[in-house]
Amino acid sequence: MADKAQIQEAIEVQGEEVRKLKSEKASKEQIDEEVSKLLQLKAQIGEDDGKHQFGTRDYNPKQMAIREKVFNTILGCFKRHGAETIDTPVFELKETLTGKYGEDSKLIYDLKDQGGELLSLRYDLTVPFARYLAMNKITNIKRYHIAKVYRRDNPAMTRGRYREFYQCDFDIAGQYDAMIPDAECLKIVYEILSELDIGDFRIKVNDRRILDGMFAMPWKEVRKEMVSEKGLSEEVADQIGEYVSLQGGMELAERLLQDQKMSQSKQACAGLTDIKLLFSYLQLFQVTDKVVFDLSLARGLDYYTGIIYEGFLTQTGIAAEAQNSSGAEESVSVGSVAGGGRYDGLVGMFDPKGRKVPCVGAEVMYKKNPKLLSQLQYCEDSGIPLVAILGEQELKDGVVKLRAADISRADLIAEIKRKTSEA
Amino acid sequence: MADKAQIQEAIEVQGEEVRKLKSEKASKEQIDEEVSKLLQLKAQIGEDDGKHQFGTRDYNPKQMAIREKVFNTILGCFKRHGAETIDTPVFELKETLTGKYGEDSKLIYDLKDQGGELLSLRYDLTVPFARYLAMNKITNIKRYHIAKVYRRDNPAMTRGRYREFYQCDFDIAGQYDAMIPDAECLKIVYEILSELDIGDFRIKVNDRRILDGMFAMPWKEVRKEMVSEKGLSEEVADQIGEYVSLQGGMELAERLLQDQKMSQSKQACAGLTDIKLLFSYLQLFQVTDKVVFDLSLARGLDYYTGIIYEGFLTQTGIAAEAQNSSGAEESVSVGSVAGGGRYDGLVGMFDPKGRKVPCVGAEVMYKKNPKLLSQLQYCEDSGIPLVAILGEQELKDGVVKLRAADISRADLIAEIKRKTSEA
């Protein structure tokens, strides 16, 4: 590791470079690249982490009082829904975590080999829960677990997230009528985010199978179909991002089930049927004012098999707060505060006979987690070579963001063709 | 690491060896040695750990309900005494822990070097608390902290203790009139152990300076003095263990202050004066029915500078429960459930200018910790070559246990001379 004074000097030089590029009105790509270098340097020295230099933090009595209040709200909700709690060790056998998180596995903290088994700090509470179910042959439980998890993330890069943070998990394991436990998990997220009084929120819902089905489609045909069948203009059809920017509720699921292209994918149809059923329960639970079916929602973990969802705050103040003072003015939405999904295969991975226990659950994050990064992560995990990003800023600037590099709308199709032929 | 099947086979062979020695009525030393080997083998394979094989365990909902009840009692007491809570990360910089625990440092879990700072799992909550005080320049706080700590202990050897366990810490930092915070800490241990309803208990109190003063004395002179000044018989004086087996209250402290030998040690006198003052407060608090000044009490950590104390259950059922089925029939008291002391130098170790903050605190252990082992540990840490153990069993058998090897009373002085001349 380089000397801290050296890094500090490099940070100053790099900061100067960024300021220079900005004053010269250099291209956004160029500035972004240099800002990214600056953030990486800062991460090395841990400059964004306050008093702690390794991506973690202390909590003083005032912060603990807030935490206690938040946890009591969450706990009250979990208990109201009839959940019991368990606890598992902070570390697991390394092999327990292996192969469960895809590309994110590189963020797992390993313990030093001091003799005995190889151990790693838990990355989430879901995998230990699945291991616990399999080990104790439990096939039916509603459990909550509020505990810390560990990720060797770059805290300066992801802004506002620490390497140690709390997750508040609620999961339902067992055989139930389709979508009933899934709907309850969403109701719980809805109740908690309402009660916490942290501003307006939305819960996006999607299904892993719809994503997988969609990404398996040949893009050229999708475009053709969009133009010929849907009567969309070529220009609109070219915005492939549009397809995943669809948002709605039950009616959207119904419409997509009619969609000729979609309906050819068995798994996409299974997902859409479940989404439709889910929304019928969500209507009964009266939570559809905040829950949207959003085809752009992706979650980065390998183990999801069905419904996925994410709760996020709609206020932009959060994003502004996450900016740092020198150089990094790129606004990133860090509003994601809860997430979860269905993972029907995970328990079976820990059972010697592979016996499956269907599970679904919500985790409420005590620290915010930048949604965009986790989406990009999902794509990287799934080997998806290109992501079209069409956010508020992109709409304003008249561009579609292709992964990280901005590109004009006119060049989009050509770029996609070029990139896909490379792959 | 050896193959599990190989270890399992070795365990069976070793178990057979132990049974054979017992049936042959072999010497206790010989059996103990072979049992110790057996336990080490079992520890390798983690046989005593139930479902987990690395010295940790899960908690199911029933166990969690018990834990919650216990914690609520403890929490209520801490809050009643006006403490605030803080939280610190589960890992610290390795250098933060270095040099704080003496010989116990070998039990610290290190994280793998995956780039960045070298980190270790916290070994207790006291050192992180001292680091927190120094880092935030806090000189006055009453804080509690209930959290897990980590020790790479041999779980089979220490029976009933896991490598991950909870500590419930209460500490008072700041300048106060002598012994007032110390007395409050003891009152808290008293209240908690009373409220938890886990059977009768005693709290032993001693002072690090008395121990240090005592161990600095030339044993030969102590013996001479015991015979000539105290009018003790030579036989009694020869039982050097006797000196540290003194138990009492304020009157014992007063008596020892008159003791010519003791009074020559400045630090022992300071300790005795504090003990005397402490007991005057303990009388006011009406807790002297359970608190004893016990000169045999030692605590294994480097950082204690004054009063030390330990709460333990007097019921022997605990010890019986800790026995395991095959071979290990040696009864070890695992009744120690709380401990603490004064550590006036620790915060200064983290302050760049070495500014000291006097501190005293109690930790209540959620898992029991074998007292005898931690005493032996203290002696090892402090370079004390010999420990005379005179427990219930030893009294019954008419022996004094010298460290681990039993020896007849008649041979004791010769053995001490031999051992001390070796050193």
Side-chain angles (χ1 to χ4, degrees):
Chain A
M1 199 186 145
D3 182 67
K4 276 204 178 155
Q6 288 176 347
I7 300 173
Q8 195 60 57
E9 204 188 311
I11 287 174
E12 278 163 34
V13 171
Q14 188 64 22
E16 196 51 55
E17 175 69 18
V18 169
R19 279 187 290 277
K20 188 167 141 269
L21 286 173
K22 285 187 174 181
S23 70
E24 291 168 356
K25 307 255 179 239
S27 77
K28 199 165 174 321
E29 287 86 348
Q30 207 180 344
I31 293 175
D32 278 356
E33 197 186 319
E34 298 304 319
V35 165
S36 156
K37 282 183 199 162
L38 179 63
L39 289 175
Q40 295 219 15
L41 282 167
K42 287 191 171 188
Q44 276 183 53
I45 202 168
E47 203 186 70
D48 282 351
D49 310 329
K51 304 234 165 177
H52 264 249
Q53 299 191 335
F54 44 97
T56 60
R57 56 171 296 185
D58 295 321
Y59 288 82
N60 67 30
K62 271 185 198 166
Q63 292 158 337
M64 288 299 281
I66 295 168
R67 186 205 280 178
E68 196 183 334
K69 193 163 173 275
V70 171
F71 283 2
N72 279 342
T73 302
I74 295 171
L75 211 60
C77 178
F78 288 167
K79 287 185 177 177
R80 211 161 53 228
H81 282 267
E84 308 176 287
T85 191
I86 67 160
D87 193 19
T88 63
V90 82
F91 43 68
E92 293 280 343
L93 291 176
K94 185 175 166 61
E95 66 195 52
T96 297
L97 306 190
T98 303
K100 311 302 186 300
Y101 302 108
E103 189 58 23
D104 279 4
S105 294
K106 68 177 184 295
L107 302 180
I108 293 173
Y109 270 108
D110 291 331
L111 266 71
K112 192 170 155 185
D113 183 0
Q114 294 169 290
E117 294 86 351
L118 292 178
L119 304 170
S120 302
L121 296 186
R122 62 183 167 211
Y123 184 87
D124 65 8
L125 303 175
T126 309
V127 167
F129 174 56
R131 191 264 307 146
Y132 174 86
L133 293 184
M135 199 175 255
N136 295 284
K137 298 190 174 49
I138 295 166
T139 54
N140 205 301
I141 192 175
K142 238 186 217 189
R143 88 88 178 75
Y144 69 88
H145 192 187
I146 297 181
K148 287 171 175 178
V149 300
Y150 299 87
R151 300 183 183 183
R152 285 186 59 255
D153 234 326
N154 199 327
M157 294 296 283
T158 57
R159 292 167 214 171
R161 191 157 102 181
Y162 291 90
R163 291 180 162 191
E164 174 185 67
F165 59 99
Y166 264 98
Q167 285 192 336
C168 307
D169 275 33
F170 176 98
D171 293 77
I172 303 174
Q175 287 289 353
Y176 290 89
D177 283 345
M179 292 301 108
I180 301 236
D182 311 61
E184 183 171 6
C185 289
L186 285 163
K187 174 93 166 81
I188 284 169
V189 175
Y190 183 96
E191 286 178 14
I192 289 172
L193 295 184
S194 303
E195 282 175 50
L196 283 180
D197 197 25
I198 44 177
D200 199 18
F201 65 90
R202 289 291 176 281
I203 304 167
K204 292 184 176 180
V205 183
N206 199 0
D207 193 293
R208 178 73 180 244
R209 292 162 295 176
I210 300 173
L211 280 177
D212 289 345
M214 229 163 60
F215 283 114
M217 291 177 199
W219 286 106
K220 209 177 158 188
E221 290 187 34
V222 171
R223 179 182 177 276
K224 207 174 100 190
E225 188 223 21
M226 278 170 140
V227 176
S228 58
E229 312 272 328
K230 298 278 162 209
L232 296 178
S233 74
E234 292 208 350
E235 200 190 334
V236 171
D238 283 351
Q239 294 165 30
I240 281 164
E242 192 78 358
Y243 203 59
V244 293
S245 77
L246 291 173
Q247 280 200 353
M250 194 194 278
E251 78 300 337
L252 175 61
E254 269 166 0
R255 185 149 59 88
L256 289 171
L257 273 170
Q258 312 293 321
D259 181 304
Q260 216 193 353
K261 201 84 234 153
M262 272 293 195
S263 60
Q264 277 172 30
S265 162
K266 237 185 178 173
Q267 53 177 351
C269 283
L272 288 165
T273 308
D274 273 354
I275 290 273
K276 218 181 111 183
L277 183 59
L278 176 72
F279 269 85
S280 70
Y281 292 119
L282 296 179
Q283 280 169 4
L284 288 175
F285 287 163
Q286 300 184 300
V287 298
T288 44
D289 57 324
K290 307 280 187 194
V291 184
V292 279
F293 172 31
D294 184 320
L295 279 103
S296 74
L297 178 70
R299 289 189 49 80
L301 301 178
D302 270 4
Y303 51 64
Y304 290 119
T305 54
I307 292 291
I308 50 174
Y309 49 89
E310 203 160 298
F312 65 98
L313 307 181
T314 54
Q315 284 174 333
T316 50
I318 310 283
E321 199 188 11
Q323 290 179 22
N324 79 37
S325 53
S326 56
E329 288 169 15
E330 178 77 352
S331 160
V332 170
S333 160
V334 288
S336 172
V337 289
R342 179 163 281 283
Y343 48 101
D344 289 346
L346 191 57
V347 177
M349 292 170 76
F350 296 111
D351 187 276
K353 292 183 184 165
R355 283 167 292 212
K356 288 186 177 184
V357 179
C359 293
V360 63
E363 59 212 17
V364 179
M365 249 93 61
Y366 189 57
K367 294 305 322 168
K368 290 132 228 151
N369 157 29
K371 190 183 61 65
L372 184 63
L373 284 180
S374 67
Q375 276 182 245
L376 292 174
Q377 195 60 60
Y378 170 79
C379 297
E380 214 164 283
D381 296 350
S382 314
I384 296 162
L386 284 172
V387 186
I389 300 165
L390 192 64
E392 224 168 353
Q393 189 60 44
E394 285 76 22
L395 277 171
K396 218 183 287 171
D397 299 349
V399 296
V400 174
K401 193 173 265 181
L402 208 53
R403 234 197 191 160
D406 288 355
I407 192 163
S408 76
R409 289 193 181 188
D411 297 334
L412 183 62
I413 287 291
E415 180 67 10
I416 290 175
K417 280 188 181 150
R418 197 177 61 74
K419 294 253 184 185
T420 47
S421 67
E422 275 171 19
Chain B
M1 196 189 144
D3 181 67
K4 274 200 181 158
Q6 286 176 347
I7 301 173
Q8 194 60 58
E9 204 187 311
I11 287 173
E12 278 165 34
V13 172
Q14 188 64 22
E16 195 53 52
E17 175 69 19
V18 168
R19 279 186 291 275
K20 188 168 142 267
L21 286 172
K22 285 187 175 180
S23 72
E24 289 168 358
K25 306 255 179 239
S27 77
K28 200 166 172 319
E29 287 86 348
Q30 207 181 342
I31 292 175
D32 278 356
E33 196 186 321
E34 297 305 319
V35 165
S36 157
K37 283 183 200 162
L38 179 62
L39 289 175
Q40 295 218 15
L41 282 167
K42 288 191 171 189
Q44 280 184 49
I45 202 168
E47 203 186 70
D48 281 352
D49 310 331
K51 305 233 164 176
H52 265 250
Q53 300 193 333
F54 44 99
T56 61
R57 55 169 297 183
D58 296 321
Y59 287 83
N60 68 31
K62 270 185 198 168
Q63 292 158 338
M64 288 299 281
I66 296 169
R67 186 205 279 178
E68 196 184 335
K69 193 163 175 274
V70 170
F71 283 3
N72 280 341
T73 301
I74 295 171
L75 212 60
C77 178
F78 289 167
K79 287 187 176 176
R80 210 160 54 229
H81 282 267
E84 308 175 288
T85 191
I86 67 160
D87 194 19
T88 63
V90 82
F91 43 68
E92 294 279 342
L93 291 176
K94 186 176 166 62
E95 65 196 52
T96 297
L97 306 190
T98 304
K100 310 301 186 300
Y101 303 108
E103 188 59 22
D104 279 4
S105 294
K106 67 177 185 296
L107 302 181
I108 293 172
Y109 271 108
D110 292 331
L111 266 70
K112 193 171 155 185
D113 182 0
Q114 293 170 291
E117 293 87 351
L118 292 179
L119 304 170
S120 302
L121 296 186
R122 63 183 166 212
Y123 184 85
D124 65 8
L125 303 175
T126 309
V127 167
F129 174 56
R131 192 264 308 146
Y132 173 85
L133 293 183
M135 198 175 255
N136 295 285
K137 298 191 175 45
I138 295 166
T139 54
N140 205 301
I141 190 174
K142 238 185 217 190
R143 88 88 178 75
Y144 69 86
H145 191 186
I146 298 181
K148 288 173 175 177
V149 300
Y150 299 87
R151 301 184 183 182
R152 285 186 60 255
D153 233 327
N154 199 327
M157 294 296 283
T158 58
R159 291 165 214 173
R161 192 158 99 181
Y162 291 89
R163 290 179 163 192
E164 174 184 67
F165 59 98
Y166 266 98
Q167 285 192 335
C168 307
D169 275 33
F170 176 98
D171 292 76
I172 303 174
Q175 287 289 354
Y176 291 89
D177 284 345
M179 293 301 107
I180 301 236
D182 311 61
E184 184 171 7
C185 288
L186 284 164
K187 175 91 165 81
I188 284 169
V189 175
Y190 183 96
E191 287 178 12
I192 289 172
L193 295 185
S194 302
E195 282 175 51
L196 283 180
D197 197 25
I198 43 177
D200 199 19
F201 65 91
R202 288 293 176 280
I203 304 167
K204 293 183 176 180
V205 182
N206 200 0
D207 193 293
R208 178 73 178 242
R209 293 162 295 175
I210 300 174
L211 279 178
D212 288 345
M214 227 162 58
F215 283 114
M217 293 177 200
W219 287 106
K220 209 177 158 187
E221 290 185 36
V222 171
R223 179 183 177 275
K224 207 174 98 190
E225 187 224 21
M226 278 171 141
V227 176
S228 57
E229 312 273 328
K230 299 278 161 208
L232 297 177
S233 75
E234 293 208 348
E235 200 191 336
V236 170
D238 284 350
Q239 295 164 31
I240 281 166
E242 194 79 356
Y243 203 58
V244 293
S245 78
L246 291 174
Q247 281 198 351
M250 192 194 280
E251 77 301 335
L252 175 60
E254 269 165 359
R255 185 149 60 88
L256 289 171
L257 273 170
Q258 311 295 321
D259 181 305
Q260 215 192 354
K261 201 83 235 156
M262 271 295 195
S263 60
Q264 279 173 28
S265 162
K266 237 186 178 172
Q267 53 177 351
C269 282
L272 288 165
T273 307
D274 273 354
I275 290 273
K276 219 182 112 183
L277 183 59
L278 176 72
F279 269 85
S280 71
Y281 292 119
L282 296 178
Q283 279 168 5
L284 288 175
F285 288 163
Q286 300 185 301
V287 298
T288 44
D289 58 324
K290 307 281 187 194
V291 184
V292 279
F293 171 32
D294 184 320
L295 279 104
S296 74
L297 178 70
R299 290 190 48 80
L301 300 178
D302 270 4
Y303 52 64
Y304 290 118
T305 54
I307 291 290
I308 51 173
Y309 49 89
E310 203 161 297
F312 64 99
L313 307 181
T314 53
Q315 284 173 334
T316 49
I318 311 284
E321 200 189 10
Q323 291 180 21
N324 80 35
S325 54
S326 58
E329 288 169 15
E330 178 77 351
S331 161
V332 171
S333 162
V334 288
S336 173
V337 289
R342 178 163 281 283
Y343 49 101
D344 289 347
L346 191 57
V347 177
M349 292 170 76
F350 296 111
D351 187 276
K353 293 184 183 165
R355 284 167 293 212
K356 287 186 176 184
V357 178
C359 294
V360 62
E363 60 212 16
V364 178
M365 249 93 64
Y366 189 57
K367 294 303 326 168
K368 291 131 227 150
N369 155 31
K371 190 183 61 66
L372 184 62
L373 284 180
S374 65
Q375 278 182 244
L376 292 174
Q377 194 60 59
Y378 169 81
C379 297
E380 214 164 282
D381 296 349
S382 314
I384 296 163
L386 285 173
V387 186
I389 299 163
L390 193 64
E392 224 169 353
Q393 190 61 45
E394 285 78 23
L395 278 172
K396 217 184 285 172
D397 298 348
V399 295
V400 176
K401 192 174 269 182
L402 209 54
R403 236 198 190 162
D406 289 354
I407 192 163
S408 76
R409 289 191 180 186
D411 296 334
L412 182 63
I413 288 291
E415 180 66 12
I416 290 174
K417 279 189 181 148
R418 197 177 62 75
K419 292 255 182 181
T420 47
S421 66
E422 276 171 17

